[in-house]
Amino acid sequence: MLIFFLSYLGGLLTIFSPCVLPVLPFIFARSDQSFRRSGLPILLGMAATFTLLASLAAVGGAWLVEVNQYGRYVAMLLLLLMGMALIFPALSERLTRPLVALGGRLQQHADQQGNLKGSLLLGVAVGFLWAPCAGPILGLVLAGAALNGANLYSAMLLLVFAAGAATSLGLALLAGGKIFSLMKRGLGAEEWVRRGLGVAVVAGVVVIALGWDTRFLSQFTFLSTARTEQKLIANLADQPGITKVNEMISMPPLTGATQWFNSKPLSSDMLRGKVILVDFWTYSCINCLRTLPYLKAWDEKYRDQGLVIIGVHAPEFAFEKDPHNVEQAIHDLGITYPVALDNQYSIWNAFSNKYWPAHYLIDANGKMRHQHFGEGAYQDTEQMIQTLLKESHQGDLPTDSQLVQVTGTGATASSTDLEHSPETYLGFARQQNFASPEAITKDAAVHYSVPNSLKLNQWGLTGKWQISAESAQLQNAGGAISFRFQGRDLHLVLGSRNNLPVRFRVTLDGATPGADHGSDIDAQGNGVVNQQRLYQLIRQSRKVAAHTFRIEFLDANTEAFAFTFG
C-alpha cells in the first residue's frame, strides 16, 4: 500500500517538474470552459493514455517506441490545429473538425461549448506528448513494472502516478479558470486571452517537436523534484542499508532458475538442517561486487559448520542474462558456492525482493530470521550466521568476525564523500541529466556533441551514437562520453557489440589520470573493453572533488550502459 502512496505523491510533484511545462498550454487552452465537460475529460484521457503507454513501454520492445512516436506526431498535428484555431477565429470552424486516425476512428468536435468527446481526445493527445521527468519515484515504479511484467499491479501503480499528476494539473486548471474569468470580466480581454492561449499552444508544439522540452528545460536543475522524491522514498519506504529481522516466515522456494552453476539445482527441502544465506546480485552491480569478498570469506569459514551460501543472479541488463557471460563472471570473481541464474525473476519475486544486493538468512528449520539490503552491516550479518549455526548444534564455532581486506573494484565506498554522484543510466528508459544539445532520437544513429561546460552530474556524448532503452551504442571509432562527477570512484558498465576488443583512453579534467587511475586502466588512461561488465576507471588518490571525466573509444561497436560512483 505504501508504494501506491509514493506513486501518487510522485505524480503530484510532476506539476513542479520543468519537463511538464510544455504540456500546460494544452491543459489551460480550455480553462474557461466547464471543468466537468472539458477539464476533467482532458485529464482522464491524459492519465489513461500515459498509463497504457508506460505499462507497455516498461515491458515492450523497440516497436512500441515507434508506435508511441507516431502517436506523438499525430498528437502534435492535432494540437497545432487547435492552437491555430484559437489564434485565427476565421479558420476555427474549418480547423476544429479534423478526423484523426489514432488506432481507430476518433472524432473531435472541438467547439466553444466544451464538447465531451473533443476534450477526451485532447487528453489522449496530451497523453502522447506528456513525458514527466523520470524521477526516483517514477523510476521505482517503472523498474518494478519491467521486472514483474505487464500485470494489473504494475498498471495500477502507473495509473495512481498518473492520477496524482492529474490531481495537481486539475487544481491548477481550476485556479487558472478563475483567473481567466476575472481577466475577461474586468478587462474585456477574452479575445486576447484566447489568442494568447493559441500562441502558447503552438509554441508548446514547437518546443516538443524540437526536443526542447527535455533538452532545454532540464537544464533548470533548481526546479528538479528528484531530491524531494528521494527523501520521500527514504523516509517512507525500506531502503538499502536497513537491516531487519523477519517474523519467522518460511523460506520461499528456489524454483524457476533457468540454470545453476557450481551445484545441481537446490530446493528448500534439500537444504533443511542447514543455515542458508541467499544473496541476490548481478555481476555488473558495483554494490554487489563490494559484498562478494565477505560472502566468499564466510563461505570458506563456515561451510564445514553447515552454512550454505546461494547466489541468486537476477540480471539488470540484457547481456547479464547470457549464461556464458554469467559463468565467466563467476569464474573471474572466484565464486565457488552455488549460483542460480534467475533470468525470469522467479526467485526474486518469490522473496518479494527489491534490491541488489540483498541478503536473507534462513535457519536450520527453514525459517527466515534476518535480512539486509545493500552494502555494510557485515559484522551484524556474521554474528547472526554464528547464532543460527549455534542453534543448529554445529559444534565449536569461531566467534571472531572475519577481517576482510579488499582492494580494487570491490573496496568499500568512501565514507567521507556521502554526496557522490548518483547512479546514471545511458539508455533512454532511465536516462537523466543528458546535456548534449542534440535531442535524443530513440533507436536511431545520430551525431551528438558535448557543450563547452558541464554542470555537476551532467553528461554528454561525442560522435555517432544509437541510444536504445538500456544503452548507448557507438557507431564509429572516435566517439566519447563526458561526465562531470564527484566521488572517489567512477565505474562504467561497458561491452562490445561484436565481441571484439575495444580500445579506449580516459582523461580527467583534460589530463591523464596518473595516480587517480582505476584498476581497469593504466596511469596514462589506456584500457580495453574485453567483456560485458563493470569497469573501474577512476579511483582518486587525493581529496575527493568534482572533476570532468572523458572516455574516448578508439574502436567502434562499444556499448555503454550505466555510471556508478563511490
Side-chain angles (χ1 to χ4, degrees):
M1 185 60 66
L2 184 59
I3 186 62
F4 284 95
F5 177 63
L6 280 172
S7 297
Y8 185 77
L9 286 180
L12 283 174
L13 289 172
T14 57
I15 190 68
F16 301 109
S17 297
C19 37
V20 83
L21 294 180
V23 172
L24 296 182
F26 311 134
I27 303 294
F28 291 140
R30 294 189 174 187
S31 60
D32 59 340
Q33 300 177 16
S34 166
F35 179 78
R36 182 177 64 86
R37 292 185 57 81
S38 180
L40 184 59
I42 290 174
L43 296 174
L44 290 176
M46 182 194 75
T49 304
F50 166 76
T51 302
L52 176 62
L53 292 175
S55 297
L56 294 175
V59 295
W63 67 272
L64 263 176
V65 176
E66 296 181 8
V67 169
N68 183 33
Q69 191 61 41
Y70 289 130
R72 285 171 63 87
Y73 294 151
V74 175
M76 284 189 284
L77 176 61
L78 171 64
L79 294 168
L80 180 62
L81 292 175
M82 189 193 78
M84 296 296 291
L86 290 170
I87 297 172
F88 304 106
L91 300 178
S92 179
E93 187 173 348
R94 179 180 300 177
L95 294 178
T96 56
R97 293 177 182 173
L99 294 176
V100 181
L102 191 58
R105 188 177 180 183
L106 295 174
Q107 290 187 340
Q108 180 191 27
H109 301 290
D111 54 30
Q112 298 300 314
Q113 303 303 315
N115 181 273
L116 184 64
K117 291 182 180 179
S119 298
L120 187 61
L121 178 59
L122 176 59
V124 171
V126 172
F128 271 100
L129 301 181
W130 180 36
C133 292
I137 291 177
L138 182 58
L140 181 65
V141 174
L142 289 174
L147 288 173
N148 296 316
N151 54 39
L152 181 61
Y153 178 77
S154 300
M156 287 298 296
L157 279 176
L158 290 165
L159 182 59
V160 169
F161 182 93
T167 299
S168 58
L169 290 172
L171 293 173
L173 183 57
L174 287 172
K178 295 182 182 299
I179 293 172
F180 289 136
S181 296
L182 288 173
M183 290 178 65
K184 288 192 294 185
R185 286 199 302 266
L187 303 174
E190 179 177 0
E191 184 69 17
W192 288 108
V193 169
R194 184 178 57 78
R195 290 187 176 183
L197 283 172
V199 171
V201 168
V202 172
V205 171
V206 172
V207 164
I208 292 174
L210 296 178
W212 292 347
D213 55 326
T214 55
R215 212 167 73 208
F216 175 71
L217 293 173
S218 62
Q219 306 303 311
F220 293 95
T221 54
F222 63 89
L223 291 173
S224 174
T225 63
R227 287 183 177 271
T228 303
E229 293 185 36
Q230 195 64 59
K231 288 180 180 179
L232 281 171
I233 295 174
N235 291 333
L236 298 176
D238 292 330
Q239 282 297 285
I242 296 178
T243 303
K244 302 195 305 181
V245 177
N246 242 315
E247 298 179 358
M248 300 289 286
I249 64 173
S250 297
M251 175 183 176
L254 296 173
T255 56
T258 54
Q259 189 171 339
W260 284 80
F261 301 99
N262 299 335
S263 169
K264 63 182 180 181
L266 300 176
S267 68
S268 53
D269 290 337
M270 295 169 59
L271 295 168
R272 189 59 59 91
K274 299 287 188 179
V275 174
I276 306 165
L277 191 159
V278 177
D279 167 48
F280 286 93
W281 72 296
T282 185
Y283 78 81
S284 73
C285 165
I286 181 60
N287 307 97
C288 302
L289 295 178
R290 287 172 180 155
T291 65
L292 282 180
Y294 296 90
L295 292 167
K296 292 192 293 183
W298 295 334
D299 178 57
E300 181 179 354
K301 185 176 181 180
Y302 298 111
R303 177 182 289 194
D304 292 340
Q305 279 71 39
L307 175 68
V308 177
I309 297 180
I310 299 174
V312 178
H313 187 277
E316 183 176 13
F317 300 112
F319 69 82
E320 293 173 315
K321 294 183 178 182
D322 187 333
H324 174 75
N325 289 346
V326 178
E327 185 175 26
Q328 185 64 48
I330 290 171
H331 175 270
D332 293 344
L333 295 168
I335 297 173
T336 58
Y337 51 78
V339 175
L341 185 59
D342 194 27
N343 279 354
Q344 305 302 320
Y345 305 100
S346 300
I347 305 175
W348 175 288
N349 290 330
F351 276 76
S352 298
N353 187 53
K354 300 177 182 178
Y355 306 111
W356 294 281
H359 299 149
Y360 297 84
L361 270 173
I362 295 93
D363 66 19
N365 297 316
K367 301 296 182 181
M368 192 178 298
R369 299 283 295 277
H370 177 91
Q371 62 189 35
H372 178 76
F373 307 130
E375 299 179 57
Y378 300 116
Q379 185 174 3
D380 293 341
T381 300
E382 184 168 7
Q383 288 177 353
M384 193 63 185
I385 291 172
Q386 293 174 354
T387 298
L388 297 183
L389 288 173
K390 288 177 182 177
E391 289 180 6
S392 64
H393 308 291
Q394 296 297 329
D396 295 333
L397 292 171
T399 57
D400 60 310
S401 295
Q402 186 75 32
L403 296 177
V404 179
Q405 299 294 328
V406 186
T407 59
T409 302
T412 303
S414 171
S415 60
T416 60
D417 183 34
L418 301 179
E419 294 297 325
H420 57 70
S421 295
E423 184 174 15
T424 301
Y425 295 89
L426 276 64
F428 63 73
R430 290 184 282 178
Q431 170 267 110
Q432 59 181 350
N433 297 330
F434 183 66
S436 291
E438 299 81 12
I440 287 180
T441 302
K442 300 176 181 178
D443 293 310
V446 173
H447 284 278
Y448 295 95
S449 61
V450 173
N452 293 330
S453 63
L454 293 170
K455 297 179 181 178
L456 185 63
N457 299 330
Q458 287 186 336
W459 62 281
L461 300 172
T462 302
K464 190 175 184 179
W465 294 80
Q466 180 169 316
I467 300 179
S468 66
E470 67 173 26
S471 68
Q473 303 154 14
L474 180 61
Q475 306 299 299
N476 299 325
I481 308 173
S482 300
F483 198 117
R484 183 71 176 173
F485 79 102
Q486 181 167 317
R488 184 196 66 184
D489 302 335
L490 180 147
H491 311 93
L492 181 56
V493 179
L494 294 167
S496 171
R497 289 189 296 144
N498 57 7
N499 295 320
L500 295 177
V502 176
R503 298 166 299 153
F504 64 83
R505 183 179 299 115
V506 167
T507 60
L508 198 62
D509 296 329
T512 58
D516 293 328
H517 71 91
S519 59
D520 287 302
I521 62 173
D522 59 25
Q524 301 303 311
N526 299 308
V528 177
V529 178
N530 48 28
Q531 290 178 298
Q532 291 173 308
R533 63 176 177 86
L534 179 143
Y535 290 78
Q536 185 190 75
L537 303 177
I538 296 295
R539 165 154 290 179
Q540 294 190 57
S541 59
R542 50 190 162 174
K543 182 179 179 181
V544 173
H547 297 284
T548 298
F549 163 89
R550 186 177 189 271
I551 179 170
E552 180 182 359
F553 299 95
L554 308 182
D555 302 300
N557 293 314
T558 193
E559 190 170 17
F561 294 85
F563 283 95
T564 58
F565 304 89

